[in-house]
Amino acid sequence: MMTRSTSKVLAPALLATGALLLGADAVLRPGHAGAWAAAAGVLAVMAFMLWRTPDRAAGGWAHRNVRDGVALAAAIVDVALGLRLADAFGMHPQGSLALRVTMLATAAFLVFTGNELPKVLVPAGRHADLARVEACRRVAGWTGVLTGIVLAIVWVALPIDAAMVASLVTFGVAAIVLVWQLGIARRRGQAA
């Protein structure tokens, strides 16, 4: 996990870098307005989340977690935008490199967040059944870690078309596991 001072500086710096890369992409590729508009929207949402999360909420843990998440997500967006600019300058004859690197960064993000999720403490008194909450977090954490590992293997080993299909299947299975676990937790809560 990032230290407090590192992520405090890193998240805004990565957002600013993303904005600069986005501006360069908009100038160099005016025909791709939809792609850079979507990236601008993602950066704007991340900046808003960083700005609106209170610094002192629950001892500051919420702001630190949001800041760390924004830093990782902004890094993924920056890598994708940087590789798109490299493609625009003819530095990468393969256009698939940007997609592969972005998906590998996404896989690393899933592994990281899946590993950290069960470690986040729930404030006492907020949930009636802490054991059920912890069980859900463990399943969600394992699902995130395993999904990230599978995505990394898929995007390193398979051709682009097969990797896209395998990614959709992997995300679908992960979503089914999470919805199934949520349903089990809800039924147990109603039975208690």
Side-chain angles (χ1 to χ4, degrees), residues 170-182:
T170 302
F171 281 123
V173 169
I176 289 169
V177 167
L178 292 174
V179 168
W180 174 68
Q181 176 63 26
L182 184 62

Side-chain angles (χ1 to χ4, degrees), residues 110 113-115 117-118 136-146 178:
L110 286 171
T113 55
N115 186 46
L117 184 62
C136 285
R137 284 188 177 184
R138 281 193 299 276
V139 169
W142 272 106
T143 303
V145 168
L146 293 175
L178 292 174

Side-chain angles (χ1 to χ4, degrees), residues 11-81:
L14 287 170
L15 286 173
T17 302
L20 291 174
L21 290 170
L22 186 60
D25 189 39
V27 168
L28 292 173
R29 295 174 178 235
H32 293 93
W36 55 260
V42 169
L43 289 173
V45 167
M46 287 190 293
F48 181 76
M49 287 173 36
L50 189 64
W51 174 63
R52 289 296 297 165
T53 304
D55 198 13
R56 304 238 183 248
W61 70 269
H63 188 66
R64 285 193 302 274
N65 288 344
V66 168
R67 195 170 48 223
D68 291 349
V70 166
L72 284 171
I76 292 170
V77 171
D78 288 358
V79 166
L81 288 171

Side-chain angles (χ1 to χ4, degrees), residues 88-179:
F89 285 116
M91 296 175 149
H92 296 288
Q94 269 186 340
S96 67
L97 179 64
L99 181 59
R100 285 190 187 275
V101 170
T102 302
M103 290 306 292
L104 287 171
T106 303
F109 176 75
L110 286 171
V111 169
F112 175 79
T113 55
N115 186 46
E116 291 297 317
L117 184 62
K119 298 175 187 174
V120 176
L121 299 176
V122 178
R126 195 173 258 190
H127 294 283
D129 190 0
L130 291 177
R132 190 176 54 191
V133 171
E134 291 301 319
C136 285
R137 284 188 177 184
R138 281 193 299 276
V139 169
W142 272 106
T143 303
V145 168
L146 293 175
T147 301
I149 290 170
V150 169
L151 280 180
I153 292 169
V154 159
W155 283 96
V156 166
L158 296 178
I160 293 293
D161 292 337
M164 286 184 176
V165 171
S167 295
L168 289 175
V169 170
T170 302
F171 281 123
V173 169
I176 289 169
V177 167
L178 292 174
V179 168

